[in-house]
Amino acid sequence: MDGDYVIGGVFAIHLYAQTVEHNYTTVPEPLKCTGSINGRGLRFSRAMVFAIEEINNSTKLLPGIRLGYQIYDSCASVPMAVHVAFQLSNGLDPEFYTSDNCSKSGTVMAVVGEPNSTPSITISRIIGSFNIPQVSYSATCACLSDKHQYPNFFRTIPSDHFQAAALAKLVKHFGWTWIGAVRSDSDYGNNGMASFLEAAHKEGICVEYSESFYRTNPRSRLQRVADVIRRSTALVVVAFTASADMRILLEELSREPSPPRQWIGSESWITHPDMLRFSFCDGAMGFGIQKSVIPGLRNFLLDLSPTKVAASPILTEFWESAFNCRLEKSDATDKNVCDGTEDIQKLQSSYTDTSELRITNMVYKAVYAIAHAIHNAVCQETNSTTQCDRISSTEPKQVLTHLKKVNFTQNGYPVSFDANGDPVATYELVNWQKSESGSIVFVTVGQYDASLPLGQEFHINRNITWVEGRTQVPVSVCTDSCPKGTHKVLQKGKPICCYDCVPCPEGEISNATDSTDCFPCPNEFWPNAEKDTCFPKPVEFLSFSEILGVILATFSVGGACLAIITATIFFQHRTSPIVRANNSELSFLLLFSLTLCFLCSLTFIGAPSEWSCMLRHTAFGITFVLCISCVLGKTMVVLMAFKATLPGSNVMKWFGPLQQRMTVLSFTFIQVLICTVWLIVSPPFPVKNFTIYKERIILECALGSAIGFWAVLGYIGLLAVFCFVLAVLARKLPDNFNEAKFITFSMLIFCAVWITFIPAYVSSPGKFTVAVEIFAILASSFGLILCIFAPKCFIILLKPEKNTKKHLMNKNQS
């Protein structure tokens, strides 16, 4: 149709172009479209005509200006798109113009189309050289947003950059980390899938396979892609394909039953009505262009009389195909002549289906965007009236400039372009669900709006039906989620979604599913059996409440009681010869020190504190030195007593009671001095030991200064050895009751206990170190009291006849 300004249109009214064999010897035949009419493509082209007629009848937009159009069929073919692009660039045929507009340029002001990305790229490169703007209604390749390569390209449909991100978020939302991917081997499929895979990788999604195909590929290629889908372990398949390509693939899959698959589709095919016949795709889901309403469009589409149809070859072909008859002037001879009873109102086809106006609205908005750009270029507002210049020599470049600035709302749908020529990305989440009648229908279950803040773009507002009519979200993972207490270890040579679940190492936990690593518990905590929580470690020390502590405390108190009982017996019989003969003063002091030795072992039981740690070692060291000093004094008294019996010996005056006391005090003072220095320089202190046992804490006393500890023990050992040597020397001295023999045995036990104590002390772990020390204290103390005092008590209590001075002085008795 002619007009003051002409808009070009490129639509895929046919889906295939005739293949031409070039022999390079004859002129090739003109390109021709083949196959049946694409009802949707015809509807899109008629929607453009409807929009232009609506604009021509408007008094607000381009008043007094008549828009014309010239629409071409690209056959969804790149060669045909090249041919159309040159026709649009070269201008219109001279006979197209009437006498009153012959001064106008023959170039179209702008072009609506093409629906597919690859032909759109071709057209844009050609007409862009002439600054002719192109507004596509269905080409979504993200590559077309590059203004350096395609400065003249605009679109009313969102870029695949947004769709790919939306699809990746959709897959991630439902927890699918193991998917398959198929795509059209075209700019639309390859670029769209590349964007999706990049977004999916960022979301942690792994792809088992990624296959490409094209509808013109040999069937063997399609069979291979179908077999890959059948054999795969991924339940979810993301298909970034054109509708024509997807139809071919689904037909191939329908030939041989395959395991159920959850299909996730791109907008090109997920809302295509022809796809609903593939019932095994029930539950498919994807993003589609928002459904819309265009008032008056359906009446316009159905307003086709035989006269109008006969005037257009395209409409004639559609009519004859739809009603399986031929018009009188048609060249078709294999069909009956149409008799006039054909009723397009009753026709069920993709052309007449206006229930899902999605891409159609994109065509409608594209035409209005161009009209607004022309309006802004040729019209001016003066005194609330609009004046448009019909005879101005407006160039496409001016329309291109104004097209970048358009911003309006048509039928409630906003239209504007960003710096890349893209609109605001809004999608509907569409789900294939079975209706009550059993047929599959499109159901909108959610929305996606890229203009919303991050994290709020995605919204689901209805229940979703999944593959095979399931109501539970299907699971598509390479490996099941790793439970708490384990972490993921990647399988060699496989994607990051394929892993083994390995229990956390000792002392570490993971408190979340699918943890990539375990982390150690703090020092004072330890994992539970499931290794998903850290619990405080049990604190271990030798306590009065456990059996070992009770036994040792019982022996300690029992030993102290035994020493007190012994002292009581000695005190009651203090005037008896056997008590007086064995230096009663040193005996009572020895029994007192033994009582302290028994009781000091109690300080080793219970939770260590600063005072108990200092007390237990110093009290032990001092009381034992006091004890050994007394034993040493008694031994020296025996030796000196027998030497005093020799003629001319006055040694006893140098080792009288005063000297004995001074000897005991001197030896003890040295130990007190050692302990004092130890406590001042580096005293023992309580410490939590984490190294002996990983799963529990040992509460113990650190020595502070190891030198101080071993100096205390070494001094005790030195006195014990000295006492032992003297006792050995005095063991054969003649006497009916020679105390040196019993001292020898006691020192022998004492030294044996403490010699074995050293390796046992060093090698015993935890609270058993304390138990070994207590055992050594009790064993040596019992050895002293039993060896030295038991024989005397035996005579005092059971053999009183021997407790006489005569018996003690009888040196000839054995």
Side-chain angles (χ1 to χ4, degrees):
M1 185 180 77
D2 63 347
D4 299 316
Y5 298 99
V6 178
I7 301 175
V10 186
F11 299 89
I13 300 174
H14 291 83
L15 295 179
Y16 297 94
Q18 184 178 12
T19 304
V20 178
E21 296 290 339
H22 297 282
N23 56 19
Y24 303 100
T25 59
T26 60
V27 177
E29 295 182 5
L31 290 172
K32 293 182 180 179
C33 297
T34 60
S36 59
I37 288 280
N38 175 19
R40 289 180 83 226
L42 180 60
R43 178 177 9 115
F44 297 157
S45 66
R46 294 281 293 161
M48 176 179 173
V49 176
F50 169 76
I52 289 177
E53 290 189 4
E54 197 174 63
I55 293 167
N56 288 339
N57 294 328
S58 172
T59 58
K60 294 183 179 180
L61 185 61
L62 290 173
I65 299 294
R66 181 176 176 81
L67 293 181
Y69 59 82
Q70 190 162 14
I71 297 174
Y72 293 88
D73 183 3
S74 68
C75 314
S77 163
V78 172
M80 185 64 80
V82 173
H83 177 71
V84 169
F86 280 117
Q87 283 189 297
L88 292 170
S89 302
N90 289 337
L92 306 176
D93 296 332
E95 59 269 19
F96 183 77
Y97 298 100
T98 58
S99 58
D100 61 343
N101 67 358
C102 61
S103 63
K104 296 290 182 63
S105 168
T107 307
V108 295
M109 291 293 101
V111 174
V112 176
E114 209 265 5
N116 301 306
S117 295
T118 302
S120 291
I121 291 172
T122 303
I123 294 174
S124 180
R125 289 191 184 279
I126 295 173
I127 68 174
S129 303
F130 304 99
N131 293 313
I132 301 174
Q134 175 186 0
V135 184
S136 177
Y137 56 88
S138 184
T140 57
C141 179
C143 57
L144 286 164
S145 297
D146 186 351
K147 292 295 103 177
H148 294 288
Q149 296 192 59
Y150 314 103
N152 66 317
F153 184 83
F154 301 83
R155 52 185 158 200
T156 53
I157 191 170
S159 164
D160 281 338
H161 171 76
F162 301 103
Q163 183 181 195
L167 286 172
K169 289 179 181 178
L170 177 69
V171 172
K172 181 66 175 179
H173 177 78
F174 292 112
W176 300 323
T177 57
W178 186 240
I179 63 171
V182 293
R183 67 186 186 277
S184 293
D185 192 7
S186 62
D187 288 290
Y188 169 73
N190 291 329
N191 285 280
M193 183 56 72
S195 297
F196 169 76
L197 293 179
E198 181 181 358
H201 179 72
K202 292 178 181 178
E203 297 287 353
I205 299 165
C206 299
V207 179
E208 182 181 7
Y209 59 88
S210 180
E211 296 291 330
S212 65
F213 66 97
Y214 196 65
R215 55 182 173 272
T216 58
N217 290 151
R219 190 186 167 203
S220 59
R221 175 70 176 272
L222 291 170
Q223 286 178 323
R224 188 179 70 81
V225 174
D227 288 339
V228 169
I229 295 173
R230 292 188 185 104
R231 292 195 306 266
S232 69
T233 57
L235 177 65
V236 175
V237 183
V238 176
F240 219 110
T241 62
S243 56
D245 298 333
M246 194 64 187
R247 185 188 305 111
I248 299 297
L249 176 62
L250 294 180
E251 286 174 353
E252 181 61 38
L253 285 169
S254 64
R255 289 189 174 95
E256 182 181 337
S258 63
R261 293 289 181 261
Q262 176 64 51
W263 291 92
I264 305 297
S266 60
E267 51 76 31
S268 177
W269 70 270
I270 199 66
T271 55
H272 199 297
D274 292 350
M275 299 296 167
L276 294 178
R277 61 190 175 92
F278 298 103
S279 58
F280 62 88
C281 291
D282 179 27
M285 184 167 53
F287 291 104
I289 304 304
Q290 285 184 310
K291 190 164 60 174
S292 57
V293 176
I294 303 177
L297 176 62
R298 179 171 177 81
N299 293 334
F300 177 81
L301 294 176
L302 299 180
D303 185 19
L304 289 180
S305 63
T307 305
K308 287 184 180 180
V309 170
S312 168
I314 288 291
L315 292 178
T316 298
E317 183 180 351
F318 164 70
W319 192 274
E320 291 180 347
S321 175
F323 295 107
N324 196 25
C325 65
R326 63 182 177 86
L327 297 175
E328 292 182 358
K329 296 182 180 180
S330 173
D331 295 333
T333 58
D334 58 339
K335 298 178 181 177
N336 298 324
V337 178
C338 299
D339 56 10
T341 60
E342 298 80 21
D343 187 1
I344 196 171
Q345 299 283 347
K346 298 179 180 179
L347 181 64
Q348 298 293 326
S349 74
S350 57
Y351 171 78
T352 59
D353 183 10
T354 56
S355 61
E356 296 280 339
L357 293 181
R358 300 177 188 273
I359 304 299
T360 306
N361 193 43
M362 299 297 103
V363 178
Y364 186 73
K365 293 201 293 186
V367 175
Y368 266 89
I370 294 171
H372 274 271
I374 296 173
H375 178 96
N376 295 335
V378 303
C379 299
Q380 292 183 344
E381 301 285 340
T382 56
N383 299 326
S384 300
T385 60
T386 304
Q387 298 292 330
C388 298
D389 189 356
R390 294 181 63 226
I391 61 172
S392 66
S393 56
T394 304
E395 296 294 330
K397 187 175 183 179
Q398 295 173 262
V399 178
L400 175 62
T401 301
H402 287 283
L403 197 56
K404 298 175 182 178
K405 306 173 186 177
V406 297
N407 190 350
F408 63 95
T409 300
Q410 185 66 30
N411 289 342
Y413 305 111
V415 180
S416 63
F417 304 106
D418 62 15
N420 295 323
D422 296 323
V424 175
T426 55
Y427 296 99
E428 288 182 350
L429 182 59
V430 178
N431 184 215
W432 291 15
Q433 298 185 8
K434 280 189 177 180
S435 63
E436 294 180 358
S437 63
S439 61
I440 300 177
V441 294
F442 299 129
V443 177
T444 300
V445 295
Q447 305 286 335
Y448 182 87
D449 189 345
S451 65
L452 294 177
L454 187 65
Q456 301 178 20
E457 314 99 322
F458 190 60
H459 178 65
I460 296 177
N461 50 26
R462 285 192 61 172
N463 292 331
I464 297 173
T465 298
W466 304 102
V467 58
E468 294 185 320
R470 302 175 193 170
T471 56
Q472 296 294 323
V473 179
V475 177
S476 185
V477 294
C478 181
T479 307
D480 290 333
S481 294
C482 286
K484 297 178 181 180
T486 64
H487 66 108
K488 298 191 291 188
V489 176
L490 297 182
Q491 295 178 0
K492 189 175 181 180
K494 291 188 176 182
I496 60 171
C497 300
C498 300
Y499 45 81
D500 295 319
C501 297
V502 178
C504 288
E506 188 179 57
E508 297 185 6
I509 68 163
S510 65
N511 55 6
T513 57
D514 287 333
S515 177
T516 56
D517 203 359
C518 299
F519 56 90
C521 291
N523 266 348
E524 297 191 14
F525 291 81
W526 191 253
N528 58 353
E530 293 75 23
K531 294 186 176 181
D532 58 2
T533 307
C534 289
F535 284 105
K537 290 180 180 178
V539 179
E540 184 178 276
F541 56 88
L542 187 61
S543 68
F544 288 101
S545 59
E546 59 182 298
I547 296 177
L548 181 60
V550 170
I551 292 173
L552 293 175
T554 301
F555 274 97
S556 176
V557 174
C561 292
L562 182 62
I564 293 172
I565 292 171
T566 303
T568 303
I569 294 172
F570 265 54
F571 182 76
Q572 290 178 348
H573 299 83
R574 60 186 178 279
T575 58
S576 65
I578 195 168
V579 174
R580 296 182 64 186
N582 284 278
N583 199 329
S584 60
E585 186 176 344
L586 284 181
S587 295
F588 283 116
L589 188 58
L590 176 59
L591 287 170
F592 171 71
S593 64
L594 283 173
T595 303
L596 294 179
C597 286
F598 282 117
L599 293 177
C600 80
S601 62
L602 294 176
T603 62
F604 288 82
I605 305 174
S609 63
E610 286 191 31
W611 286 105
S612 68
C613 285
M614 290 189 289
L615 179 63
R616 64 172 57 170
H617 289 99
T618 53
F620 153 70
I622 293 170
T623 55
F624 257 77
V625 166
L626 179 60
C627 179
I628 300 300
S629 297
C630 293
V631 175
L632 183 61
K634 290 174 71 66
T635 307
M636 293 175 69
V637 166
V638 173
L639 280 173
M640 296 304 109
F642 278 95
K643 286 187 177 293
T645 59
L646 298 175
S649 176
N650 59 352
V651 69
M652 282 305 295
K653 73 176 183 177
W654 300 108
F655 205 77
L658 179 62
Q659 286 79 9
Q660 294 173 20
R661 297 189 198 102
M662 291 300 298
T663 300
V664 172
L665 289 176
S666 298
F667 285 139
T668 307
F669 177 75
I670 294 173
Q671 183 72 308
V672 171
L673 187 63
I674 294 173
C675 291
T676 302
V677 173
W678 182 16
L679 293 179
I680 292 173
V681 175
S682 181
F685 57 91
V687 67
K688 294 178 179 179
N689 192 325
F690 300 101
T691 57
I692 297 178
Y693 299 107
K694 295 179 180 179
E695 71 281 1
R696 59 184 185 267
I697 300 172
I698 303 299
L699 195 59
E700 61 185 12
C701 287
L703 297 176
S705 170
I707 295 175
F709 174 72
W710 291 109
V712 168
L713 283 186
Y715 184 62
I716 295 173
L718 181 65
L719 290 181
V721 170
F722 183 46
C723 183
F724 177 70
V725 171
L726 292 180
V728 169
L729 293 175
R731 73 187 188 283
K732 292 185 178 181
L733 292 174
D735 195 351
N736 196 32
F737 191 82
N738 189 353
E739 194 177 29
K741 294 179 183 179
F742 304 113
I743 294 174
T744 302
F745 283 119
S746 66
M747 286 295 101
L748 188 63
I749 294 172
F750 185 91
C751 292
V753 167
W754 286 102
I755 289 172
T756 55
F757 160 77
I758 294 173
Y761 178 83
V762 172
S763 61
S764 297
K767 63 182 180 182
F768 297 105
T769 304
V770 178
V772 166
E773 195 166 355
I774 295 174
F775 176 79
I777 293 171
L778 295 178
S780 55
S781 299
F782 275 110
L784 287 171
I785 197 170
L786 292 176
C787 289
I788 294 176
F789 293 100
K792 298 179 179 64
C793 291
F794 177 77
I795 291 175
I796 291 172
L797 298 176
L798 301 178
K799 297 287 184 177
E801 67 275 10
K802 292 184 178 181
N803 190 6
T804 61
K805 185 174 181 180
K806 179 182 177 180
H807 179 78
L808 293 176
M809 297 300 293
N810 188 0
K811 298 180 181 180
N812 296 323
Q813 272 190 315
S814 61

